[in-house]
Amino acid sequence: MLACGPDVTVMIRKGDEGTYEPLSASGVKKAKKMYDMTIKKKQKAGEQAAQEAERAEQDRKKLEESKKIVIEPPSDAAPAKRIKICAGVQNRDVRVKVCGWVHRLRSQKDRMFLVLRDGTGYLQCVLQGALIQTYDALTLTLESSVELYGVIKTLPEGKTAPDNHELVVDYWTCVGKAPGGDDAIMNRVSENADPSILADNRHLVLRGETASAILRVRAAVLDGFRAEFASSGMLEVTPPCMVQTQVEGGATLFQFDYYGQKSFLTQSSQLYLETCLPALGDVYCVQESFRAEKSHTRRHLSEYTHLEIELAFVSFDDLLSHIEQDICGMVDRVLKDDKTRALIEQLNPGFQPPKRPFLRLNYKDAIAYLNEHNITNEHGEPHKIGDDIAEAAERKMTDQLGVPILLHSFPREIKAFYMKRVPGDEAFTESVDLLMPGVGEIVGGSMRMTGHDELLDAYKREGIDPSPYYWYTEQRKYGTCEHGGYGLGVERLLAWLTNRWTVRECSLYPRWTGRCTP
């Protein structure tokens, strides 16, 4: 029918050996109905194609005409005050200039709405009239950078926008046009994109509301810690990152050549912090640490931000209390800020600060708990005293208990050489890990050996040449004291605070095994 018209005679036969006979009347009727539907679809498709071609031509002409439209600042307008978006509330009803990037964009027949982002906040802006008829307006894309002039007006009741106001634009310019089409930002990165693609395009992912919110919370957390430490008289110092000594074992050291000498990227600044105690009192640092540990878990990074503190004249109980106070004090400070609290609620709805006191769990009791609850080791076997509790088992126990845990007094064999032994139980150390539900370990700390000869014996037992550590060892020679400290992984704490699946989301540009770009 499609080839010869609807009035053709259709003949059919049943089986290969039968004779051809005319199609039944009902069969012809059904075939003609299908034919009519197909013809209508073709006609409709043709009409749509024609309409699309017509619209494309109109758009082309409109774009060509738009190149002739030139806008100028209003001749009677007041001079514009340059402001950041965060200062919008204080500058309502005055003419301002705001610069930023197009975060969202929505065009209507007679106006265009865009949400501007400048890093300090978001601002809804409305453009009308000739302002939306220019070539730049018709081709505006997400992430283009613009300069907008106008007056910030409070929104009427029933309307919503960031800070409950919008910028009524009277003049604007496009500073840098972002690409559209296949190279548009929404085609480069999306929420469900493969993690490797998101990692390659981390520089674009950062522009999203989730990634930027995490980084803002990160900044607030560091501010909170610094304020908490300052309140107790602690001083921030900046130890070196290039070292010739190990802290946490040689297997995880990044080695490099330093003017012909074998050197390493630091695993921890602890040893240097200890040397500061006699001169500066209690100290802390916020520095990058590096671990060449080929772990592909969701809580491991090859480079991470290490917050470390060292305290003089303290007991092990003092150290545990200090860890608890530092975490809770920081959280309390962060939640006092309305903007940061809103970001945490956005990222981790229903977040509640940890309750004190934290559960203090002896390593031996933890082994008993694991076995009582059938939580096996990585080989599927029951745990025994002396085991280094694996990450999966540790996290399962923590999630079951559902509270912060100060897991303490680990065996000497699985801890660093400098850790103080438990008095009367020398096979164990005055050491502690803070475990948080959903993440696991976020803090590792201990009391340090105080005796000169005791430390030399520890070097010998571990097969470490003591000569490069002379400056550390002499701390025990020139006025030793009971002292201890801890290191906190900032990305792990953020993963707990913001409910992120992996610490990789909590670093500006995360580094892990095989990933050192961009």
Side-chain angles (χ1 to χ4, degrees), residues 273-293:
L273 292 181
E274 288 189 48
T275 69
C276 296
L277 293 178
L280 303 172
D282 297 342
V283 292
Y284 74 96
C285 71
V286 182
Q287 299 231 139
E288 300 305 289
S289 283
F290 305 85
R291 301 281 173 92
E293 186 176 359

Side-chain angles (χ1 to χ4, degrees), residues 379-422:
H379 304 296
E381 301 169 350
H383 287 85
K384 61 183 184 298
I385 299 296
D387 283 355
D388 189 0
I389 301 173
E391 175 192 345
E394 182 182 80
R395 194 167 61 240
K396 189 171 184 179
M397 176 183 69
T398 307
D399 290 347
Q400 283 184 1
L401 293 170
V403 295
I405 302 171
L406 288 166
L407 180 60
H408 63 87
S409 304
F410 293 90
R412 180 182 67 189
E413 289 76 15
I414 62 174
K415 285 298 179 180
F417 69 89
Y418 52 77
M419 292 186 179
K420 183 181 177 182
R421 310 295 182 241
V422 174

Side-chain angles (χ1 to χ4, degrees), residues 364-385:
K364 296 176 185 177
D365 295 331
I367 293 293
Y369 178 95
L370 292 169
N371 290 334
E372 287 169 6
H373 291 80
N374 297 315
I375 302 174
T376 59
N377 63 20
E378 60 267 39
H379 304 296
E381 301 169 350
H383 287 85
K384 61 183 184 298
I385 299 296

Side-chain angles (χ1 to χ4, degrees), residues 317-350:
D317 189 65
D318 293 334
L319 176 62
L320 299 184
S321 297
H322 212 290
I323 293 172
E324 181 178 300
Q325 173 58 37
D326 291 344
I327 298 294
C328 294
M330 177 279 294
V331 171
D332 290 344
R333 291 174 187 276
V334 165
L335 293 179
K336 282 182 181 179
D337 181 79
D338 291 341
K339 289 187 176 179
T340 305
R341 188 174 65 251
L343 290 174
I344 293 174
E345 182 63 27
Q346 169 193 329
L347 296 164
N348 188 4

Side-chain angles (χ1 to χ4, degrees), residues 15 163 271:
D163 292 325
L271 306 189

Side-chain angles (χ1 to χ4, degrees), residues 115-133:
V115 175
L116 192 70
R117 182 190 74 241
D118 73 348
T120 72
Y122 299 91
L123 177 63
Q124 179 169 293
C125 310
V126 58
L127 292 75
Q128 303 178 76
L131 299 180
I132 64 172
Q133 297 170 5

